[in-house]
Amino acid sequence: MKKNIILLCITFCLSNVFSQQEKPNVLIFYVDDLRAEIGSYGSKTAITPNIDDLAKDGVQFNKAYVQQAICAPSRMSTLTGLRPETLGIYSIFTPLRKVHKEIVSIPQFFQKNGYKTVSIGKVYHHSIDDEQYWTHHFKKENNSYVKPENIALMKRLKASGKKSIKGPAYEDADVADEAYKDGRVSKYAIETLKKVKDDKFLMFVGLSKPHLPFNAPKKYWDLYNKNDFTIPSREKPEGMYRLALSKWGELKGYYGIPQKGDLEDDLTRTLIHGYHASISYVDAQIGKVMKTLNELNLRKNTVVIFMSDHGYKIGEYGAWCKHSNVEIDVRVPLIISRETNYKKRKKNKISNALVENVDIFSTLVDICGLENAPITDGKSIVPVLNNPNKRWDKAAYSVYARGKKIMGVTTTDGNWRYTEWRNSITNAILESELYEHKSSLLSFVNLSGNKKYKKVEQRMKKLLEIQFPRDKPFLQNDIPRKR
């Protein structure tokens, strides 16, 4: 009898040890164009119950930053752990593997370590990147319309030969979720989870909304009253560099959007309405996937990450979209919820530590206990996950190029943002900007050169030069776009 009890104890202890050593699965919701204003981040308008639940079940980072506010470079940076200035790619036109065949990416490394690697929807901007390193690959779908009048319009536009004209900037058809591509993304994710449930997996669920066009089922538009949305101030920051903001050509490329001047109030409200409907649509897809994860009893050994590739402007500063170094474009939502069998797991915690999307690769390697990982520009933030109040980095960094000749480099310490616009060849400073962001994503006065803030600017300048020294030229691997 005693021998049996001893054997049972040994078996239990060994199973405990093995379960603790078991490498976790990884599920990442990678969202496009989502700014750090959703329910759990204090938004007064965005309805995001499923994302909010995930925040309650993990650590929410209030000071998370991307390395460039544009899709392709930002996603490459996340998936390689290398900054845009390391990769030398600053535009959406250059696929990663066209210039970097030697770099080891997240899917490549995890596949090598025995994981099933899954890419669904928009993960890389260019679906051809790392195709061979995804064991399950559902490519990013093109935008589509389902309203008969918009389908007819698209046929007319195509027949006209005007290739540069896109369809309408929004649509609200009364259809099921799967009529639009993000609904199909969640469907594929659920189906794939059921296939890989007995394997070790790394799954990226790439949700395209709230990227333009704001196409979402009518029921998500119906969650909001258009007239409840206020028109953001169109005032531009006093003393802002003339090229700090883009001319938001991305939005102007859509049918029916005026090419000059500010958008009038009614259209502004409609687009803000569409942006919010798209967020709630994405939130619902996340809820479906999380429900399946729990039903399959996978949550106990699956770390879940929710993140965005960059922020977004919906009329602030009289501008739209991203493509800049301003705070609202580079600060993003980031939520990490550890697997439920992780002993040090933290729930419903907020961290104000400065972290960056470039840290994700190293963090995943640490969480999964993998060895011989490639050297990256980021570092594991597991210590912050274990202690959300831990003091961490002094600064976060981003870049934005204006063509081949001008490079904008920027840093934040969490309260202040300092930006230098430099000649890309000589590194000569053309102009500088200093903005206060202690309590807001927006700031309306450039304080650079103001004697009252001289010490702040000097300190921020030193922080900037740690990452962007004046004697180091910018690497340019971008291949010019063919015309």
Side-chain angles (χ1 to χ4, degrees), residues 112-132:
K112 183 180 178 182
N113 279 273
Y115 276 71
K116 297 288 186 183
T117 54
V118 184
S119 173
I120 303 173
K122 186 174 181 179
V123 180
Y124 278 105
H125 180 77
H126 302 278
S127 287
I128 59 172
D129 276 332
D130 281 352
E131 275 186 301
Q132 70 272 37

Side-chain angles (χ1 to χ4, degrees), residues 85-256:
E85 57 270 26
T86 300
L87 295 170
I89 299 175
Y90 308 101
S91 80
I92 62 170
F93 304 114
T94 307
L96 174 68
R97 295 305 179 184
K98 195 160 190 175
V99 292
H100 289 297
K101 303 214 171 26
E102 78 292 353
I103 286 171
V104 177
S105 64
I106 289 177
Q108 183 179 358
F109 184 69
F110 272 74
Q111 188 186 74
K112 183 180 178 182
N113 279 273
Y115 276 71
K116 297 288 186 183
T117 54
V118 184
S119 173
I120 303 173
K122 186 174 181 179
V123 180
Y124 278 105
H125 180 77
H126 302 278
S127 287
I128 59 172
D129 276 332
D130 281 352
E131 275 186 301
Q132 70 272 37
Y133 301 124
W134 301 112
T135 55
H136 298 71
H137 189 203
F138 298 81
K139 289 186 177 181
K140 174 182 69 175
E141 295 184 25
N142 293 327
N143 292 318
S144 62
Y145 299 85
V146 296
K147 281 190 172 182
E149 59 268 35
N150 286 337
I151 293 172
L153 170 65
M154 293 302 291
K155 286 181 179 178
R156 291 198 303 273
L157 291 174
K158 189 175 181 180
S160 72
K162 296 180 180 179
K163 294 181 181 179
S164 61
I165 302 247
K166 299 176 184 176
Y170 58 90
E171 187 179 82
D172 60 351
D174 192 1
V175 292
D177 286 5
E178 290 176 18
Y180 293 116
K181 61 182 178 179
D182 279 342
R184 295 190 287 274
V185 163
S186 65
K187 174 178 177 288
Y188 301 146
I190 289 167
E191 291 172 352
T192 307
L193 277 174
K194 292 175 181 177
K195 290 178 182 177
V196 301
K197 61 184 176 64
D198 297 321
D199 299 303
K200 199 54 56 192
F201 65 83
L202 164 86
M203 179 182 288
F204 277 82
V205 180
L207 295 154
S208 293
K209 300 300 109 180
H211 192 289
L212 284 163
F214 304 142
N215 293 357
K218 183 177 179 294
K219 62 182 176 182
Y220 299 107
W221 289 74
D222 290 344
L223 293 173
Y224 304 91
N225 182 339
K226 172 181 168 179
N227 294 321
D228 288 343
F229 295 108
T230 57
I231 306 298
S233 170
R234 296 187 178 99
E235 178 188 356
K236 289 178 174 54
E238 180 184 332
M240 176 177 257
Y241 177 52
R242 64 183 181 85
L243 297 178
L245 298 173
S246 75
K247 295 180 180 178
W248 39 283
E250 181 183 5
L251 175 59
K252 291 175 182 176
Y254 285 85
Y255 180 83

Side-chain angles (χ1 to χ4, degrees), residues 431-445:
E431 285 200 33
S432 57
E433 298 175 284
L434 177 67
Y435 298 105
E436 185 178 2
H437 289 286
K438 291 180 181 178
S439 59
S440 175
L441 286 165
L442 302 174
S443 185
F444 292 92
V445 181

Side-chain angles (χ1 to χ4, degrees), residues 242-456:
R242 64 183 181 85
L243 297 178
L245 298 173
S246 75
K247 295 180 180 178
W248 39 283
E250 181 183 5
L251 175 59
K252 291 175 182 176
Y254 285 85
Y255 180 83
I257 301 298
Q259 300 301 296
K260 294 182 180 180
D262 293 327
L263 298 186
E264 48 89 18
D265 286 359
D266 187 64
L267 179 56
T268 295
R269 280 198 175 88
T270 298
L271 291 173
I272 294 173
H273 189 180
Y275 183 79
H276 281 74
S278 298
I279 292 172
S280 292
Y281 174 45
V282 162
D283 179 81
Q285 309 320 303
I286 290 170
K288 292 177 192 177
V289 177
M290 288 300 297
K291 181 173 183 288
T292 301
L293 192 73
N294 283 302
E295 288 174 349
L296 293 174
N297 199 28
L298 293 171
R299 185 66 179 95
K300 64 183 180 182
N301 198 41
T302 303
V303 58
V304 180
I305 298 178
F306 170 83
M307 61 189 298
S308 174
D309 60 352
H310 42 69
Y312 202 78
K313 296 181 293 296
I314 48 174
E316 292 86 3
Y317 303 142
W320 292 80
C321 308
K322 52 273 187 183
H323 312 114
S324 85
N325 279 323
V326 298
E327 183 81 1
I328 200 167
D329 285 350
V330 295
R331 194 197 298 183
V332 289
L334 175 65
I335 298 167
I336 302 179
S337 179
R338 289 296 303 261
E339 60 277 21
T340 57
N341 67 3
Y342 179 62
K343 286 189 173 181
K344 294 181 181 180
R345 184 170 185 263
K346 294 293 186 290
K347 295 172 60 178
N348 201 22
K349 298 294 182 181
I350 288 175
S351 174
N352 288 314
L354 288 171
V355 298
E356 300 173 284
N357 280 10
V358 76
D359 296 326
I360 294 298
F361 195 165
S362 296
T363 302
L364 292 178
V365 168
D366 194 359
I367 287 174
C368 296
L370 305 181
E371 297 179 351
N372 301 315
I375 296 172
T376 68
D377 292 332
K379 65 180 182 180
S380 171
I381 59 172
V382 167
V384 186
L385 287 172
N386 293 338
N387 179 10
N389 294 321
K390 186 177 180 66
R391 290 176 66 88
W392 202 238
D393 287 350
K394 293 182 178 180
Y397 300 93
S398 305
V399 299
Y400 207 94
R402 291 287 182 234
K404 294 285 185 181
K405 296 181 179 179
I406 299 174
M407 180 64 74
V409 292
T410 187
T411 186
T412 181
D413 66 354
N415 292 321
W416 295 91
R417 174 162 298 286
Y418 177 69
T419 303
E420 287 182 355
W421 295 94
R422 300 180 183 177
N423 180 298
S424 297
I425 309 301
T426 66
N427 246 336
I429 299 172
L430 306 175
E431 285 200 33
S432 57
E433 298 175 284
L434 177 67
Y435 298 105
E436 185 178 2
H437 289 286
K438 291 180 181 178
S439 59
S440 175
L441 286 165
L442 302 174
S443 185
F444 292 92
V445 181
N446 176 12
L447 298 170
S448 178
N450 187 314
K451 292 181 180 179
K452 184 178 177 182
Y453 301 97
K454 184 178 180 180
K455 288 185 178 179
V456 173

